[in-house]
Amino acid sequence: LQIGPFDPCSGVKMSETDVAFFEETLRRAKVFRSLMKADLTVTYPPMAVIASDAIATPVAWKRPTQNSPMGFDQPAVTALGDGRFVQATAGPPSGVPVVLRLTSKSSHTGVAVDLPNIAQALNELLLRRKI
């Protein structure tokens, strides 16, 4: 696909060892993602999601021509998110219950320190805890 370090414009030179490491990392990531499924036999703890809708977040790109490098500077499709994660799909896998979804107006690095939303989520989760 000529993306990432394989894009001719990246300037990255990868050795055979680098390529093997990259391939193994992608293989492990695929295995990990396959484990991210709702399990109907599990009673999940209450969960809250804080996700941002502050930034047009790229979700798809087009190639100018077949086999040309990807045009990462020109996303073809964007959705509201934090710049890395799309707000609509942020959170646990489908089927895992979420008791509260809050919307942040922060970028990716700001969501983790959005104290008003964090306080609201923690308060709601504490109210739902079982003693």
Side-chain angles (χ1 to χ4, degrees), residues 48-55 57 80-92 98 100-108 110-112 114 117-118 121:
V49 172
I50 303 171
S52 176
D53 68 356
I55 299 171
T57 301
L80 293 176
D82 66 11
R84 291 186 68 193
F85 295 99
V86 174
Q87 189 261 351
T89 58
V98 173
L100 179 66
R101 286 189 66 89
L102 298 171
T103 301
S104 176
K105 296 298 181 188
S106 299
S107 67
H108 180 71
V111 172
D114 182 347
N117 273 325
I118 291 169

Side-chain angles (χ1 to χ4, degrees), residues 1-3 60-71 74 76:
L1 288 177
Q2 298 183 346
I3 61 174
W61 292 264
K62 286 185 180 179
R63 289 183 180 181
T65 60
Q66 187 176 4
N67 295 325
S68 67
M70 300 292 283
Q74 300 287 329

Side-chain angles (χ1 to χ4, degrees), residues 31-48:
V31 168
F32 179 76
R33 281 192 306 274
S34 74
L35 298 173
M36 302 284 292
K37 297 177 185 169
D39 183 342
L40 299 177
T41 66
V42 171
T43 301
Y44 292 97
M47 290 187 225

